[in-house]
Amino acid sequence: MSIRASGADLSGCLSQADTQGVGREPGLATNTRERDDFHMRRALALAQHGWGRVAPNPLVGAVVVRDDEIVGEGYHAEWGGVHAEVRAIEAAEGRASGATLYVTLEPCHHSGKTGPCSRAIEAAGIARVVFATAETNPEARGGAEWLRRRRIQVEEGVCALEALDLNAVHFNSLRHQRPYLALKYALSLDARLAEVPGTMSRVTDGEAQVEAHRLRAGHDAVMVGIGTVLADDPRLTVREWRAPRLPTRRVVLDTMLRLPGDSALVRTAAEAPVWVFAAEDAPETRAERLRGEGVDVLRVRRSPASPRLDLEAVLAELWGRGVSSVLCEGGGSLGSALLAEGRVDRLYAFIAPRLYGEPGVSGFQGGRGLAARDWRLISRHSLGAVTLLTLAPESPADPG
């Protein structure tokens, strides 16, 4: 597996813009392109404040700039709430007339829980609109063309790749009838997930643990294999980050229903949904026991090539139940199977400065050719001693 840096390092390119806030732009923004990049990166940083609270809507941030000064900012903070463009215009307090509006997604042109942002932009007297990427939702798109017809200058494509990465789940849901799948790995330097098979190993902690919980909050479901449950007894809830708008579904792939009745997942089934996927021939007595504890048991076919569950069938069932995004937290067997089948849309690799060696559990199992696609570096973060690499496959996943 090779990794290529694409220039779309969202964390790095936002560092200055994210701290700038309302006020005059820095002196380095000497031309229109630099100014547009700077303000769009600020809008991208603002958009992330809606993480875990706006789905199934996209993350959107907006900045109003007049006479080279930021006079208003806003972001979509809550599903069903005021959109980013309107919040930014309201924050400008009457100074939006003749200004430029930077927004991470094409302004909507439909009435849903709120009115069309396109009409709010015209009413405010905005003279120029710059957006990162077009809206592909047929119900919401069309704002750019409507604004152009009203002789408002509209430009598209500033920081487009960063905006696409930011809302990858949103765009995936519109293009594919399957959940967007992210794989989270906590790895030693020698790519081990645990020091000894079948036992719990805390590979990362501190800031990395907080970030792991933040990732959970931004996905509809968290998925693990039964081996991880038996070794770690996880709760898979969001505890070190603000609670998501809806409880994250907790998904276990458990072919023969070995999930213990006294596990943390079963004990907390009333706090957030627990869905256990099992083979069609798994014992019904075990299924009845789990259902009695509030656990949903879902039966799917086995893989044609192995005794494990068919991953395509699992993901199709999740999609049918309204799950648009899944964060898989391993372990090595499940993660490697997803990689080998080309089902991973994003990889979060938390790399800790330690070595486990044998008999540590490898994160990449299956031999030569596993996850052979090239990967693009989206961002690199330092979380204390841990390095987080956020990666996406160079070519779109083509499962099967």
Side-chain angles (χ1 to χ4, degrees), residues 52-400:
R53 303 298 305 178
V54 302
N57 288 354
L59 296 162
V60 183
V63 175
V64 178
V65 178
R66 180 174 175 178
D67 297 329
D68 293 339
E69 182 179 353
I70 296 176
V71 296
E73 298 182 332
Y75 61 90
H76 187 33
E78 196 78 20
W79 181 81
V82 179
H83 286 192
E85 299 95 317
V86 174
R87 287 171 64 107
I89 290 169
E90 291 175 346
E93 297 181 339
R95 300 181 66 189
S97 180
T100 296
L101 172 70
Y102 294 88
V103 61
T104 56
L105 187 68
E106 177 186 0
C108 70
H109 187 59
H110 81 300
S111 295
K113 292 186 176 294
T114 62
C117 290
S118 54
R119 296 185 184 277
I121 291 168
E122 182 195 32
I126 294 288
R128 178 173 177 248
V129 175
V130 180
F131 65 92
T133 187
E135 173 62 89
T136 56
N137 184 344
E139 293 183 359
R141 66 190 180 193
E145 183 57 34
W146 188 88
L147 291 168
R148 289 189 181 103
R149 291 199 300 268
R150 269 127 186 98
R151 301 186 183 281
I152 295 173
Q153 184 181 354
V154 178
E155 298 178 31
E156 174 186 355
V158 177
C159 297
L161 182 56
E162 292 93 333
L164 289 169
D165 284 334
L166 176 70
N167 277 313
V169 173
H170 173 68
F171 292 113
N172 178 83
S173 295
L174 296 167
R175 294 188 185 115
H176 307 293
Q177 298 295 303
R178 62 171 179 83
Y180 186 90
L181 195 141
L183 174 62
K184 176 247 173 183
Y185 265 175
L187 297 161
S188 64
L189 291 174
D190 52 344
R192 308 286 179 172
L193 296 167
E195 188 171 9
V196 178
T199 61
M200 181 178 180
S201 297
R202 180 72 71 183
V203 182
T204 62
D205 53 22
E207 294 178 53
Q209 286 297 107
V210 174
E211 176 62 14
H213 281 244
R214 188 190 75 88
L215 291 177
R216 287 179 184 174
H219 291 80
D220 294 338
V222 178
M223 182 170 70
V224 296
I226 185 59
T228 295
V229 175
L230 296 176
D232 298 348
D233 193 24
R235 279 184 282 173
L236 302 179
T237 52
V238 178
R239 303 182 300 280
E240 299 188 39
W241 191 261
R242 65 172 180 169
R245 184 176 70 88
L246 298 173
T248 303
R249 291 85 151 183
R250 297 173 290 171
V251 176
V252 182
L253 304 195
D254 184 8
T255 306
M256 293 306 293
L257 291 175
R258 294 186 291 155
L259 180 64
D262 61 351
S263 65
L265 286 169
V266 174
R267 295 198 312 271
T268 60
E271 297 178 15
V274 178
W275 298 348
V276 177
F277 283 83
E280 294 166 330
D281 59 341
E284 180 59 26
T285 53
R286 298 180 187 176
E288 291 177 356
R289 172 179 55 81
L290 290 172
R291 292 190 186 104
E293 298 291 341
V295 175
D296 282 349
V297 178
L298 310 170
R299 296 183 182 272
V300 295
R301 63 179 181 268
R302 293 178 185 262
S303 169
S306 73
R308 70 167 187 263
L309 300 179
D310 187 302
L311 296 175
E312 181 178 359
V314 171
L315 294 174
E317 180 67 25
L318 290 173
W319 176 260
R321 286 173 165 252
V323 173
S324 297
S325 60
V326 178
L327 177 67
C328 177
E329 296 196 7
S333 177
L334 176 56
S336 296
L338 291 166
L339 285 165
E341 294 187 14
R343 299 186 185 277
V344 177
D345 298 297
R346 182 156 299 182
L347 176 60
Y348 295 102
F350 292 75
I351 303 174
R354 57 185 56 176
L355 292 169
Y356 283 150
E358 298 293 344
V361 178
S362 173
F364 304 98
Q365 304 170 14
R368 183 177 178 83
L370 176 64
R373 292 179 305 177
D374 292 338
W375 292 76
R376 174 174 60 87
L377 178 64
I378 296 175
S379 66
R380 181 188 296 107
H381 286 270
S382 293
L383 303 168
V386 174
T387 298
L388 169 59
L389 300 180
T390 303
L391 306 156
E394 279 281 16
S395 57
D398 184 18

